[in-house]
Amino acid sequence: MFNKIIRPRRLRISENMRALVRETNLSVKDLVYPIFVVPGKNVREEISSMPNCYHLSVDNAVELAKKISALGIPAVEIFGLPEYKDEIGSGAWDMNSPVQCAISAIKKAVPELLIVGDVCLCQYTSHGHCGKLCGNYVDNDETLKLLQNVAVSQAQAGADIIAPSDMMDGRVAAIRAALDENNFSNVVIMSYAVKYASGFYGPFRDAADSAPQFGDRKQYQMDYANSREALKEVFLDISEGADIIMVKPALAYLDIVSKVRAEINNPVAVYNVSGEYAMVKAAAQNGWIDEKRIVLESLTSMKRAGADIIITYHALDAANWL
Ligand code: PBG
């Protein structure tokens, strides 16, 4: 009767055997590294809630971009803190803002490195919401016009990929039209199609000084209790012209990643966000977990769920480990 035992352990017998049958392989080519640019020169200040992530002036961002590219990471995503904020976030499309300057300087220094521009207004508005206000409500259609300005200005600076993260309705179509009209028909749109109103963005809002000054983002970002609605958002964005679909955050939403993967043929990206990063860093600093193991296991789980692209603050470490 014992010779009837089926033995899955045979295929786990050695590292080479496991490698031979491994279903998912994490590669440095899957990763996108987010960077935060600030005004000034020679600035390099650690972000307190995101250990080993820095506020960088454009000159230092360029130096980091060279290192990122040398490690084989194919893309960076640029976030910025502006010199000024106003009611409509006009710093977001100012060609002299840190983001636009960083995009063009990095493109010049490391032309092969892909640059993703995050298109949103919350870092640039005095009230911290992701669009133009009408009373306490973010006016959807008025905001679309502003987002078009941001997308075109980033493409002008040299962005290869435009990533709208504002969650206004119709923004992908509006941005696609504006890019095409301005001769940027080859600029890719990676839509934050499924972006939940999440507590995991906390450290980023400190880093980007983008917390809403009143209320929250629940009137535009998604309710984390919903998953059918995720597919609705995905299909809308694809029909409006999105090339790549993103789910955000990552770890608490791998069921969503897997559902989206099963339904579409576009590449799927996940954003392993600031709160997810901060939790790993804090536990690692306390010696409670083995950081390398946890990071590689988590990133692999995102791929296993169906992601092709992982935007992560762990990208530099992961690239060194892989
Ligand atoms: C801008 C934006 C946010 C993040 C990316 N783009 C914050 C937010 O929506 O409040 C979060 C990224 C992270 O937490 O790492 N809207």
Side-chain angles (χ1 to χ4, degrees):
M1 94 169 258
F2 279 108
N3 58 16
K4 290 214 174 108
I5 291 181
I6 310 257
R7 299 187 185 277
R9 287 184 58 189
R10 259 184 224 127
L11 296 179
R12 299 179 200 137
I13 202 88
S14 65
E15 178 45 35
N16 267 342
M17 189 68 80
R18 292 189 292 273
L20 200 62
V21 300
R22 188 160 290 136
E23 299 173 33
T24 310
N25 284 292
L26 182 67
S27 157
V28 65
K29 296 299 174 197
D30 305 325
L31 307 176
V32 179
Y33 189 59
I35 56 184
F36 295 92
V37 290
V38 295
K41 275 209 159 117
N42 200 23
V43 181
R44 185 172 188 270
E45 276 166 19
E46 192 171 33
I47 298 163
S48 59
S49 52
M50 299 175 70
N52 210 26
C53 288
Y54 295 85
H55 282 140
L56 300 171
S57 49
V58 171
D59 49 336
N60 283 334
V62 169
E63 291 314 306
L64 176 61
K66 291 180 189 162
K67 276 189 213 153
I68 291 167
S69 188
L71 280 166
I73 296 171
V76 286
E77 177 156 0
I78 314 281
F79 294 96
L81 283 84
E83 312 249 14
Y84 59 93
K85 301 192 188 224
D86 60 25
E87 275 291 304
I88 59 167
S90 58
W93 60 90
D94 182 337
M95 288 307 283
N96 297 316
S97 269
V99 164
Q100 280 76 4
C101 294
I103 292 173
S104 53
I106 292 171
K107 203 29 61 187
K108 202 167 155 212
V110 209
E112 66 281 8
L113 184 66
L114 295 173
I115 302 181
V116 183
D118 180 88
V119 169
C120 199
L121 296 168
C122 55
Q123 289 119 285
Y124 302 90
T125 51
S126 41
H127 42 78
H129 278 287
C130 301
K132 185 175 173 184
L133 291 182
C134 177
N136 280 346
Y137 188 73
V138 176
D139 186 322
N140 194 85
D141 299 10
E142 286 299 313
T143 299
L144 295 183
K145 299 174 194 161
L146 310 181
L147 297 171
Q148 288 178 314
N149 296 341
V150 184
V152 170
S153 76
Q154 293 184 351
Q156 262 160 4
D160 304 279
I161 300 175
I162 293 297
S165 72
D166 51 280
M167 290 300 278
M168 295 302 118
D169 295 332
R171 73 209 204 273
V172 173
I175 288 172
R176 184 72 271 163
L179 290 173
D180 291 353
E181 262 163 40
N182 287 277
N183 290 320
F184 294 117
S185 53
N186 278 337
V187 168
V188 166
I189 296 182
M190 173 162 72
S191 171
Y192 289 70
V194 186
K195 179 170 177 179
Y196 288 94
S198 170
F200 286 101
Y201 307 149
F204 174 96
R205 290 182 188 172
D206 296 337
D209 187 28
S210 65
Q213 298 302 300
F214 65 88
D216 52 39
R217 302 209 202 289
K218 290 181 184 166
Q219 286 189 338
Y220 38 104
Q221 299 181 349
M222 282 179 54
D223 181 343
Y224 58 68
N226 295 353
S227 89
R228 292 190 299 266
E229 188 188 7
L231 292 178
K232 179 166 132 187
E233 287 281 3
V234 166
F235 290 133
L236 276 173
D237 283 9
I238 292 175
S239 74
E240 290 180 25
D243 302 290
I244 300 172
I245 289 297
M246 195 199 300
V247 175
K248 175 185 175 186
L251 282 177
Y253 298 87
L254 293 186
D255 59 323
I256 307 297
V257 175
S258 152
K259 249 191 188 164
V260 169
R261 169 75 293 156
E263 292 284 339
I264 67 171
N265 295 318
N266 301 52
V268 175
V270 288
Y271 200 134
N272 176 214
V273 301
S274 57
E276 300 175 288
Y277 175 82
M279 293 194 303
V280 171
K281 282 292 189 188
Q285 283 179 352
N286 275 295
W288 295 337
I289 56 166
D290 177 337
E291 181 176 0
K292 178 178 168 183
R293 283 188 67 181
I294 295 285
V295 168
L296 294 178
E297 183 176 336
S298 303
L299 298 179
T300 301
S301 77
M302 294 167 205
K303 277 206 85 177
R304 192 189 63 229
D308 305 292
I309 300 164
I310 304 172
I311 303 163
T312 179
Y313 305 99
H314 295 294
L316 284 184
D317 287 335
N320 279 314
W321 293 328
L322 283 168

